[in-house]
Amino acid sequence: MSALSRRTFVKRCAGSMAALPLGGRAAGKPSPPRPNILCLVSEDNGPLLGCYGDPLARTPNLDGLARKGVVFESCYAMPVCAPSRFTLISGMYPATCGPAHNMRAAGKIPPWLKAFPAYLRQAGYYTTNNSKTDYNAPFDVREAWNVCGKKGEWRDRPSPETPFFSVYNHEMTHESCLFPNDKRAPRMSPTDPARVRVRLYQPDTPEIRADLARQYDCIAEMDRQCGEKLTALEAAGLADDTIVFYYGDNGGVSPRSKRFLHESGTHVPLIVYVPPKWRHLAPASPGARIASPVHFVDFAATLLAMAGVRRPAYLQGIPFAGDPEAKPRTYAFCSRDRMDERYDMVRSVTDGRWLYIRNFRPEIPYVEPLSYMFRARGYQSWAKLAEQGKLTPATAMFWGRKPADELYDIKADPDNVVNLADRPEQAGRLAAMRQALAAQMIENRDNGLLPEGCELEGYEASRRPGAWPVERVLATALLASDQRAENLGALCRAAGDESMPVRWWAATGLAILEKRAADAAPVLEKLLGDPSGFVRVAAADALARQGRIERALPALAQAMQDLGSPWCSLQACNALDRLGEAARPLLPSIQAFAKRVAQDESFSSPQAYPRRILGHLLDVLEGRAQPLAGQG
């Protein structure tokens, strides 16, 4: 760790776990007055609100809250719900507790890590969550919430004097609102699709315009629902005693927003209203706008500070209200890893004006054939134009290989389509943001650098002294993702490293180089006998990309069918699907395995994901579908 020795850090964390200090008071003393806190959360929408300058927004309730509250212009979240909620509830980055950084996972958390509402509850708050959890880790919900579910209401607190912390999650804007036959019915008149602004990275299709218009309608309905919550607070005479937070949980639902680390996927609205009685806790004066970045990792620290509850030492966030001594953060960091059945690894850092993105798997296209995502007709229309070769340069860039580095001027290029990473005048800024990202990944012992399912994952395992050389692994991952043939020798040497993650990244780097790594075939042949199944899969993937299909397919078939290592199996399925037609010799094995895993209907089971991937691959091999542009 950079600022604390590991021993000191553990002692401070252990000290912060004691029950009495959590309330910040000694036994026998009366409880200090505390504000109520109400959190209004909306799903899957960026700042498409009137108070953020959107001309089509119909959000009078949230705009009114903004006029008397504080608007954060640069609030960032993880780009998809479960890792985002982990960040909120823990006050830690998901990649510290792998595999919580992946979508739909069970993060390996230390036994002392609590969902932060537990500290509020211990301090005397009545805590309710209405109603999503989906925290991507096994937090004790009963410890955190007095009531968790559709019946969670602040009205049910034991007495009028009991302060409450209540969260209401509004699903009206969830991406499924765009799916065919969705039953949500906004009460507002529909938005005219002809009036919406199609982003530069999106093709101008009727389906995408319809999606954008539908999103505005659902946001308008969400605003009405939030207005009902605010009216109920007023009617109960509690508005003067209640701090109100409104925020979106991740980016929007139109193509290339949710799941992506561009502004469209991570930039979310945040409004904080502090009534006059508690104005000393406010981040700024009423009507102010704050430009410095804040991140979901800051919420736990902020809410505990505003409630007057001592903050645990392990929190990685910085209070943006409630603590006048806290300094604004310089950068906000975000991550994207596995999204449902599809693997990728991307990291980003932003100061609110500039956005740097590092693609650790640049050979994987931005747009992958995610079965859930492609239920939206906008994505389907985009894919159809890609197959027909009718995309513009701006709309086609998301269907091919990614650059290793991306750098965007958010103010001049809000759609993030002009990559400035290769501009000489940006070399200093690029280097500084790269360095900041690398330092953060090392400090967090970023579990995204490890193959999902390996024994090194998790908070405690990944911090065990000598468990893995995180600096060397990161250096190899950066080398692998550079996509430069001159790195071939260094990657071949790394393939002989004693550390499994280093060998895994070396093999992955050789796969990224594809036929430019043909001279590394003997190295890859040796890695086919590696003790780690993850390394064997990466080596087989690399050989397949060189055209050595006869050597690659047996190893991939063996890993695919090994349900004793389900995440290794999933990685093999991903490699096979990327091969497309080249995987045809395994068609009987793929058909048999797909039938086998189809018997498991569990949504959360790892076997559900091979079923989706192999379904896509079989559609291609059996002539029911064409591979997406950039796939197969």
Side-chain angles (χ1 to χ4, degrees), residues 192-520:
D192 181 358
R195 298 182 62 206
V196 302
R197 184 180 79 85
V198 177
R199 278 57 179 168
L200 294 175
Y201 50 83
Q202 298 169 337
D204 192 343
T205 68
E207 294 84 357
I208 284 180
R209 284 191 171 274
D211 280 359
L212 290 167
R214 170 75 169 170
Q215 184 177 22
Y216 277 108
D217 296 343
C218 291
I219 289 174
E221 174 62 17
M222 175 273 295
D223 177 83
R224 188 193 66 78
Q225 295 173 1
C226 287
E228 289 182 342
K229 307 294 193 307
L230 297 173
T231 298
L233 205 64
E234 291 273 1
L238 295 172
D240 292 339
D241 275 304
T242 305
I243 295 170
V244 180
F245 280 66
Y246 161 74
Y247 52 92
D249 71 346
N250 50 248
V253 295
S254 64
R256 205 220 70 176
S257 50
K258 183 179 181 179
R259 301 180 182 86
F260 296 87
L261 292 192
H262 301 86
E263 281 278 294
S264 50
T266 61
H267 184 200
V268 297
L270 170 61
I271 303 167
V272 179
Y273 167 68
V274 181
K277 179 178 178 179
W278 301 98
R279 191 61 47 78
H280 61 284
L281 300 173
S285 58
R289 304 182 76 89
I290 295 178
S292 56
V294 300
H295 190 279
F296 271 20
V297 78
D298 302 326
F299 276 53
T302 301
L303 288 160
L304 292 175
M306 297 183 88
V309 177
R310 182 178 296 180
R311 303 190 296 278
Y314 65 79
L315 292 181
Q316 295 178 313
I318 301 170
F320 53 79
D323 183 353
E325 296 182 3
K327 296 181 179 179
R329 65 166 55 252
T330 303
Y331 292 123
F333 300 92
C334 295
S335 60
R336 173 207 164 116
D337 292 277
R338 177 174 56 75
M339 294 292 167
D340 296 341
E341 69 267 28
R342 302 285 173 177
Y343 280 99
D344 200 348
M345 181 182 174
V346 192
R347 296 292 181 269
S348 71
V349 53
T350 180
D351 60 4
R353 167 65 191 275
W354 294 90
L355 170 64
Y356 169 65
I357 296 174
R358 178 70 183 198
N359 293 299
F360 284 87
R361 297 297 304 269
E363 86 284 13
I364 297 175
Y366 293 97
V367 179
E368 296 185 87
L370 273 163
S371 58
Y372 190 80
M373 184 174 76
F374 267 85
R375 293 186 191 182
R377 286 164 287 200
Y379 268 111
Q380 295 169 18
S381 71
W382 199 1
K384 184 176 181 180
L385 288 181
E387 291 171 7
Q388 296 172 346
K390 294 181 179 180
L391 297 178
T392 66
T395 59
M397 63 184 290
F398 296 101
W399 294 84
R401 291 178 73 101
K402 303 188 289 280
D405 294 313
E406 300 177 61
L407 180 68
Y408 300 104
D409 181 340
I410 296 169
K411 184 176 181 180
D413 175 26
D415 287 345
N416 305 161
V417 294
V418 182
N419 184 5
L420 303 176
D422 293 332
R423 303 285 179 89
E425 66 272 19
Q426 299 298 341
R429 177 173 286 108
L430 184 70
M433 298 184 89
R434 275 176 172 169
Q435 183 177 7
L437 180 61
Q440 198 257 4
M441 293 180 70
I442 291 171
E443 181 175 358
N444 286 351
R445 303 190 73 81
D446 191 313
N447 282 207
L449 292 167
L450 302 169
E452 184 178 20
C454 77
E455 69 281 358
L456 297 172
E457 271 188 320
Y459 187 90
E460 294 180 314
S462 64
R463 281 162 178 73
R464 194 171 297 124
W468 61 298
V470 60
E471 294 91 347
R472 196 158 80 243
V473 174
L474 175 59
T476 308
L478 291 169
L479 195 71
S481 55
D482 270 344
Q483 309 186 78
R484 293 185 295 190
E486 53 263 40
N487 294 336
L488 183 61
L491 290 172
C492 287
R493 290 189 293 274
D497 196 276
E498 62 181 3
S499 172
M500 180 275 291
V502 174
R503 300 196 305 276
W504 180 65
W505 274 109
T508 299
L510 295 173
I512 291 170
L513 288 175
E514 297 182 341
K515 292 184 178 181
R516 292 180 295 163
D519 291 345

